[in-house]
């Protein structure tokens, strides 16, 4: 908090309480955080007796002091507070106005008495500053004031020992051993003369106050000795609130957080009775004190060893005899409250007792709820375990839930109440708490868990049957679409209906144990049926995306392989035109099968449209002249849009692409045929040989007549023959390589001729 003392005027000379200033002081010194670890020290005494000077030297404060060279005027006006510097514990120092100031006059001493009473009411230690020469005098400055304060304090406040430290100023040569007995005798006389209630007529002064006396030398004449004595006195204020400390009795101390409010209320009560006749404030005092005692009992209960052990035990599990044990603890603290408040106003005492009981019940209610929580958890866990075991045994879900729910609720009821329907171990006699809300919550949690398990089981069941449907339909459908035929969709329909009916029948039997309402059951059955249908449609769409591959496979299986599934050897005897037409027709059938989904067994004309427009070229040209192109559309007649896999426009595009990608296969076949024919007749025809013999007779005779020519021709023959065999020219001719240049125009024309007869008019060729 630093070394600042935060001097603040608490009450001005007109008696106005500085609420804002006190709040700022409390906030500045962080008083609210101290709990009970603080002390209040005040000082009373005649005007100009050095009160402020003593406090400044004793606590390091900076109260305004009198300047002896400017006269003996009133310096401290009203009441001021400050923080004691360097004192442990935290100490609030209060400087009061002098009690016999001439500025207020002789007839108006009410404020002086009120301020003194206020100081005694809120202080742990009160310094009574008095002149040494006033000891033993009947009309000493503080004598009337002390008499009035003793009387009123005893009537207004409950017995609490306040430390009265009489500080004798300007000590003379008279020894302290002689001064102290005289002062104590004067104080006792004042106490004996004050009026006391019947209950306290024999009460000694020591029951209310602890009186000590100390003496200081003159500050003006013996300053160094004064400071040394003050330093010794200052040590006594360290740890003043500890047991045996200077503060003495600390019963009923206001917590630091309530200091501001307490001071305001005390001053308000005092100010409203200027004649100091305060019996009317008995109820207020009783309220404050009873509240303090109630707070104390509640605080002690919160720290009670037995309660803490019971609370800890409840947090870990159920406690046998919980209600009896807790009731015993509550009774003990309520009895202590009754004993300590027996002298206060009965109405206030009863009200505060009810409030204390309510607060105690509020404190222990979480433990009560924890006990109910254990019963709730135990019953709910039993339901979960029993339900799991029941389901594993094969019992129906709905029947299992009913039986397990009844068993768990019965266990909760038995754990909470006996056979007479009275609360047993959980009950507290001070209040009529029941478990209806907890039981309702248990019932709700059981239903919620049952619904959760039901949803999980239904989800598992649905997933299981969907998996079964997938296993039953996926692979067979894929195999049927790998080689689409005219009967592919009838087979798929038959498979779909058969497997769906079987799955729905088994699914309905499985759902019967859940005892679902008809609407929910019908919905789940419909979802499984829709799943099977969507699976078929999904597979159909997947395969439709690969229709070109299937068409080329079907074309290749007919065109490139014979009826024994052996690769064809093109010998020249095969009718390529017929094979091409058959392969195109088979591929077009694949396209027609994959063009639409046919699960509803309705007839359509997709195959006839494709045959008439893509296979019959001449008829197609005539149809263009008579009507619109049937493939220039995005839908098929009599086929819903959602069942369309390949639109008419897409069919034309796929067919064109198919022709381009299979054209090379046809060219290769034609080329192979031509090569095979020429490989069997690589020598010139006989008539060519005869013509050469006739026309070359003269040249032959010339060679015979000239041996040199004959020899050269022989050498050329040998070289040519060696080159012939070295380059395997005969083999190349047999493979058709030598005829490619000559055969290409004829092959191109042949392919177009075959295509024209298969699917469209011939195109011009170069």
């Amino acid at each position: 908090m630093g070394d600042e003392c935060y001097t603040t005027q608490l009450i001005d000379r007109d008696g106005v309480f500085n609420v804002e200033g006190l709040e700022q002081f409390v906030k500045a010194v962080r008083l609210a955080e101290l709990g009970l670890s603080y002390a209040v020290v005040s000082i009373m005494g005649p005007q100009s007796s050095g009160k402020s000077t003593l406090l400044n030297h004793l606590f390091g404060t900076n109260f305004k002091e009198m300047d002896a060279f400017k006269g003996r005027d009133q310096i401290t006006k009203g009441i001021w507070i400050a923080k004691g510097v360097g004192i442990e514990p935290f100490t609030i120092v209060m400087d009061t106005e002098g009690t016999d100031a001439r500025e207020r006059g002789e007839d108006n001493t009410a404020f002086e008495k009120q301020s003194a009473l206020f100081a005694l009411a809120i202080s742990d230690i009160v310094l009574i500053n008095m002149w040494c020469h006033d000891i033993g005098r009947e009309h000493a400055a503080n004598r009337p004031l002390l008499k009035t304060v003793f009387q009123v304090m005893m009537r207004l406040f409950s017995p609490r020992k306040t430390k009265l430290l009489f500080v004798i100023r300007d000590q003379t040569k008279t020894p302290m051993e002689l001064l102290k007995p005289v002062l104590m005798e004067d104080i006792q006389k004042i106490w004996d003369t004050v009026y006391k209630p019947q209950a306290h007529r024999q009460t000694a002064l020591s029951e209310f106050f602890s009186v000590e006396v100390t003496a200081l030398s003159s500050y003006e004449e013996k300053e160094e000795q004064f400071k040394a004595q003050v330093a010794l006195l200052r040590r006594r204020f360290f740890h003043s609130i500890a047991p045996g400390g200077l503060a003495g009795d600390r019963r009923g101390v206001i917590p630091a957080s309530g200091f501001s409010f307490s001071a305001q209320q005390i001053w308000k009560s005092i100010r409203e009775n200027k004649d100091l006749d305060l019996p009317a404030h008995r109820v207020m005092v009783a309220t404050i004190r009873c509240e303090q005692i109630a707070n104390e009992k509640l605080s002690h209960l919160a720290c009670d060893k037995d309660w803490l052990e019971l609370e800890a035990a409840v947090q870990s599990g159920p406690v046998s005899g919980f209600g009896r044990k807790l009731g015993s603890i509550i009774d003990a603290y309520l009895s202590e409250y009754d004993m300590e408040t027996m002298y206060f106003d009965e109405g206030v005492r009863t009200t505060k007792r009810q409030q204390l009981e309510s607060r105690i019940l509020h404190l222990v209610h979480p433990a009560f709820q924890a006990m109910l929580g254990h019963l709730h958890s135990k019953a709910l866990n039993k339901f979960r375990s029993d339900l799991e075991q029941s389901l594993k045994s094969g019992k129906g879900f709905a029947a299992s839930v009913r039986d397990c729910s009844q068993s768990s609720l019965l266990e909760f009821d038995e754990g909470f109440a006996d056979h007479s329907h009275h609360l047993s171990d959980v009950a507290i006699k001070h209040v009529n708490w029941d478990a209806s809300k907890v039981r309702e919550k248990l019932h709700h949690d059981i239903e919620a868990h049952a619904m959760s398990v039901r949803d999980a089981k239904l989800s598992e069941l649905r997933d299981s049957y969907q998996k079964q449907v997938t296993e039953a339909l996926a692979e067979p459908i894929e195999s049927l679409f790998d080689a689409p035929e005219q009967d592919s969709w009838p087979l798929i329909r038959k498979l779909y209906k058969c497997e769906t009916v079987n799955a729905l029948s088994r699914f309905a039997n499985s759902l019967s144990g859940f005892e679902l309402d008809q609407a929910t059951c019908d919905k789940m059955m419909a979802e499984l049926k829709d799943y099977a249908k969507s699976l078929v449609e999904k597979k159909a769409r997947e395969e439709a995306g690969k229709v070109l591959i299937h068409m080329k496979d079907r074309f290749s299986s007919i065109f490139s392989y014979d009826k024994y599934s052996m690769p064809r050897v093109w010998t020249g005897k095969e009718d390529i035109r017929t094979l091409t037409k058959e392969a195109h027709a088979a591929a077009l059938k694949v396209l027609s099968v994959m063009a639409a989904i046919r699960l509803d067994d309705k007839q359509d004309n997709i195959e006839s449209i494709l045959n008439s427009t893509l296979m019959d070229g001449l008829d197609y040209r005539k149809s263009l002249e008579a009507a619109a192109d049937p493939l220039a559309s995005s839908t098929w007649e009599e086929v819903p849009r959602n069942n369309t896999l390949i639109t008419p426009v897409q069919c034309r595009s796929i067919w064109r692409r198919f022709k381009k990608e299979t054209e090379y296969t046809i060219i290769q076949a034609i080329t192979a045929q031509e090569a095979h024919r020429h490989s069997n007749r690589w020598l010139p025809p006989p008539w060519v040989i005869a013509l050469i013999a006739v026309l070359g007779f003269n040249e032959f005779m010339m060679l015979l007549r000239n041996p040199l020519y004959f020899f050269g021709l022989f050498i050329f023959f040998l070289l040519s023959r060696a080159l012939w065999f070295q380059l395997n020219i005969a083999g190349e001719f047999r493979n058709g390589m030598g005829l490619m240049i000559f055969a290409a125009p004829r092959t191109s024309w042949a392919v177009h001729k075959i295509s024209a007869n298969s699917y469209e008019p011939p195109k011009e060729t170069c």
Side-chain angles (χ1 to χ4, degrees):
M1 296 181 183
D3 293 334
E4 297 184 24
C5 55
Y6 302 100
T7 303
T8 303
Q9 186 174 37
L10 184 62
I11 301 171
D12 64 15
R13 63 176 288 107
D14 296 325
V16 178
F17 197 96
N18 184 10
V19 178
E20 182 178 356
L22 179 58
E23 294 295 340
Q24 292 177 355
F25 173 83
V26 170
K27 184 177 181 180
V29 301
R30 301 171 68 178
L31 181 62
E33 301 176 6
L34 300 178
L36 299 177
S37 300
Y38 75 102
V40 180
V41 178
S42 61
I43 191 168
M44 295 189 303
Q47 176 181 323
S48 303
S49 62
K51 299 187 300 298
S52 300
T53 301
L54 175 59
L55 293 179
N56 290 341
H57 284 82
L58 195 58
F59 297 104
T61 54
N62 58 359
F63 294 119
K64 188 176 180 181
E65 300 179 11
M66 182 190 72
D67 189 346
F69 296 100
K70 295 183 179 180
R72 303 182 67 84
D73 294 332
Q74 187 181 41
I75 300 303
T76 302
K77 299 179 180 181
I79 300 177
W80 294 71
I81 61 172
K83 169 198 168 187
V85 178
I87 296 291
E88 183 64 32
F90 182 91
T91 301
I92 299 174
V93 182
M94 187 166 65
D95 190 11
T96 63
E97 183 179 309
T99 58
D100 56 354
R102 61 181 175 83
E103 285 79 1
R104 287 192 178 271
E106 298 180 358
D107 298 330
N108 188 10
T109 60
F111 179 80
E112 299 170 359
K113 295 179 180 180
Q114 291 168 0
S115 62
L117 180 56
F118 178 75
L120 287 170
I122 70 172
S123 300
D124 298 295
I125 304 170
V126 179
L127 303 180
I128 307 296
N129 202 44
M130 62 182 301
W131 300 113
C132 183
H133 56 74
D134 276 345
I135 297 176
R137 296 175 57 211
E138 179 66 24
H139 299 289
N142 288 331
R143 191 179 184 93
L145 176 62
L146 286 176
K147 183 176 181 180
T148 304
V149 169
F150 284 164
Q151 181 178 0
V152 177
M153 279 290 292
M154 185 176 59
R155 297 175 58 191
L156 183 62
F157 296 93
S158 64
R160 173 194 174 197
K161 284 189 178 182
T162 300
K163 177 69 70 173
L164 294 181
L165 180 57
F166 288 84
V167 181
I168 302 174
R169 303 295 298 273
D170 295 353
Q171 182 182 8
T172 61
K173 294 181 180 181
T174 304
M176 188 65 180
E177 292 78 6
L178 298 179
L179 292 175
K180 184 175 180 180
V182 177
L183 178 60
M184 293 302 295
E185 184 179 353
D186 291 344
I187 295 173
Q188 186 63 45
K189 287 180 180 180
I190 296 173
W191 173 256
D192 293 339
T193 58
V194 299
Y195 171 80
K196 303 180 186 65
Q198 182 65 33
H200 297 293
R201 286 185 179 180
Q202 303 301 322
T203 304
L205 174 65
S206 59
E207 294 292 328
F208 287 86
F209 300 101
S210 177
V211 181
E212 292 191 24
V213 181
T214 188
L216 300 175
S217 299
S218 174
Y219 175 69
E220 296 179 354
E221 298 177 1
K222 301 177 182 180
E223 182 176 353
E224 294 302 323
Q225 185 176 353
F226 173 83
K227 291 182 178 179
Q229 292 171 342
V230 170
L232 291 175
L233 180 60
R234 174 181 169 87
R235 295 180 183 177
R236 299 194 61 191
F237 287 90
F238 281 86
H239 308 294
S240 59
I241 64 174
L246 188 61
D249 190 2
R250 293 274 293 169
R251 289 179 298 171
V253 175
I254 301 297
S257 59
F259 175 80
S260 175
F261 174 77
S262 176
Q264 294 175 45
Q265 294 301 313
I266 290 175
W267 180 250
K268 179 181 178 182
S269 299
I270 293 173
R271 286 289 292 175
E272 291 176 353
N273 295 271
K274 294 183 179 180
D275 58 358
L276 294 183
D277 184 13
L278 301 179
H281 288 273
R282 180 180 179 184
V283 174
M284 180 197 70
V285 176
T287 301
I288 295 174
R289 185 55 184 156
C290 289
E291 183 70 26
Q292 292 173 350
I293 296 174
N295 291 338
E296 179 183 347
K297 298 310 162 190
L298 184 64
S299 176
H300 289 174
L301 172 60
C303 301
D304 185 89
K305 180 181 178 180
D306 294 337
W307 158 244
L308 293 177
E309 291 177 354
L310 182 63
E311 184 181 32
V314 169
Q315 298 304 321
S316 60
V319 177
S320 177
F322 170 81
R324 176 179 52 80
K325 294 177 181 179
L326 183 56
S328 177
I329 295 173
I330 295 175
D331 285 341
Y333 280 94
L334 290 177
S335 297
E336 291 181 8
Y337 171 86
D338 293 337
M339 290 294 295
E340 296 184 26
T341 59
M342 62 183 302
Y343 297 106
F344 292 103
D345 182 82
E346 183 178 358
V348 175
R349 186 172 70 240
T350 303
T351 300
K352 293 302 178 182
R353 189 186 193 279
Q354 294 173 352
Q355 294 177 2
L356 173 61
E357 185 174 355
S358 176
R359 294 168 67 187
I360 290 176
L361 292 175
H362 178 75
L363 174 66
V364 303
H365 188 260
F368 174 82
Q369 289 296 117
M371 280 291 296
L372 293 182
H374 291 310
L375 294 179
H376 170 277
S377 300
K378 183 179 179 181
L380 183 59
N381 291 335
K382 172 179 172 58
F383 172 78
R384 292 172 177 171
S385 177
D386 291 350
L387 179 61
E388 182 178 358
Q389 295 299 324
S390 180
L391 293 178
K392 286 183 179 180
S393 66
K395 191 174 183 179
F397 181 84
S400 298
V401 169
R402 280 195 301 270
D403 295 344
C404 296
S405 176
Q406 292 176 0
S407 176
S408 298
L409 290 174
L410 180 61
E411 177 166 325
F412 177 85
D413 295 337
E414 291 177 349
F416 184 75
D418 60 20
H419 296 292
S420 300
H421 302 287
H422 295 298
L423 297 179
S424 55
D425 281 353
V426 185
I428 302 174
K429 64 181 180 180
H430 303 84
V431 65
N432 186 24
W433 285 332
D434 61 31
S436 58
K437 292 184 178 180
V438 179
R439 192 181 191 280
E440 290 177 4
K441 183 178 184 301
L442 173 62
H443 188 265
H444 174 76
D445 292 344
I446 287 176
E447 290 182 345
H449 181 71
M451 289 296 294
S452 176
V453 174
R454 191 196 74 169
D455 293 343
K457 293 295 182 182
L458 288 177
S459 179
E460 292 177 4
L461 193 64
R462 181 177 60 250
D463 294 343
S464 174
Y465 277 92
Q466 288 180 353
K467 183 178 179 181
Q468 294 178 26
V469 170
T470 301
E471 293 175 352
L473 294 179
E475 292 185 1
I477 291 175
E478 289 178 358
S479 65
L480 289 172
F481 280 134
D482 281 342
E485 298 291 348
Q486 189 67 32
D487 62 346
S488 292
W489 277 111
L491 292 176
I492 291 174
R493 283 196 299 272
K494 182 178 179 181
L495 175 66
Y496 162 72
K497 292 179 180 179
C498 179
E499 294 298 336
T500 302
V501 169
N502 291 337
L504 290 175
S505 177
R506 298 194 306 272
F507 191 50
N509 291 334
S510 299
L511 291 178
S512 61
F514 290 88
E515 297 182 8
L516 302 174
D517 59 272
Q518 190 61 39
T520 303
C521 188
D522 292 343
K523 179 182 178 182
M524 296 190 69
M525 297 283 286
E527 288 176 351
L528 181 60
K529 185 176 181 180
D530 292 342
Y531 175 81
K533 182 178 180 181
S534 64
L535 177 65
V536 175
E537 294 176 350
K538 178 183 177 182
K539 290 298 179 181
R541 295 185 188 279
E542 289 177 357
E543 297 302 323
K546 299 182 289 186
V547 64
L548 184 60
I549 297 175
H550 293 315
M551 292 172 66
K552 290 192 293 184
D553 290 344
R554 179 58 58 85
F555 175 86
S556 177
S557 66
I558 295 177
F559 186 81
S560 300
Y561 294 86
D562 59 19
K563 61 182 179 179
Y564 302 108
S565 300
M566 297 295 293
R568 292 186 186 276
V569 178
W570 302 102
T571 62
K573 299 178 181 179
E574 296 83 3
D575 187 353
I576 293 180
R577 182 184 307 231
T578 301
L579 289 175
T580 300
K581 187 172 182 179
E582 292 177 356
H584 280 175
L588 193 62
K589 186 176 293 293
V590 171
L591 182 60
S592 66
V593 170
M594 301 301 299
I597 298 173
R598 300 176 176 88
L599 286 178
D600 50 7
D601 199 16
K602 292 182 180 180
Q603 299 298 322
D604 57 64
N605 56 356
I606 295 178
E607 184 176 1
S608 61
I609 292 175
L610 292 177
N611 285 329
S612 63
T613 55
L614 299 180
M615 287 294 293
D616 302 331
L618 295 176
D619 294 339
Y620 172 64
R621 289 200 304 270
K622 293 179 180 179
S623 67
L624 288 179
E625 297 175 358
D629 184 0
L631 295 184
S633 173
S634 61
T635 58
W636 298 103
E637 293 182 4
E638 300 179 356
V639 177
R641 182 179 295 271
N642 60 334
N643 286 343
T644 301
L645 298 177
I646 306 174
T647 64
V649 174
Q650 291 172 338
C651 286
R652 181 190 296 280
S653 175
I654 291 172
W655 184 253
R656 288 176 178 174
R657 185 177 174 185
F658 164 76
K659 289 188 300 180
K660 289 181 180 180
E661 295 185 8
T662 56
E663 184 176 358
Y664 180 74
T665 303
I666 300 173
I667 293 175
Q668 285 291 84
I670 296 174
T671 303
Q673 274 193 343
E674 291 293 332
H676 188 273
R677 292 192 186 100
H678 287 287
S679 67
N680 292 330
R681 49 186 179 89
W682 56 275
L683 291 177
W687 63 271
V688 175
I689 296 174
L691 181 62
I692 291 174
V694 173
L695 296 178
F697 179 78
N698 294 332
E699 286 76 7
F700 179 72
M701 293 303 296
M702 183 184 66
L703 290 175
L704 292 177
R705 293 189 189 99
N706 191 342
L708 183 62
Y709 285 154
F710 184 79
F711 179 75
L713 184 61
F714 180 72
I715 296 299
F716 177 75
F717 171 75
L718 292 177
L719 293 175
S720 298
R721 186 170 181 80
L723 184 63
W724 180 276
F725 286 104
Q726 185 69 24
L727 298 179
N728 193 22
I729 294 175
E732 296 296 333
F733 272 104
R734 280 193 297 271
N735 293 333
M737 295 295 291
L739 299 177
M740 287 299 292
I741 298 175
F742 304 101
R746 295 181 61 194
T747 302
S748 176
W749 176 85
V751 170
H752 285 296
K753 186 66 175 175
I754 293 171
S755 300
N757 292 331
S758 300
Y759 51 89
E760 62 181 8
K763 299 180 181 178
E764 294 183 0
T765 59
C766 297

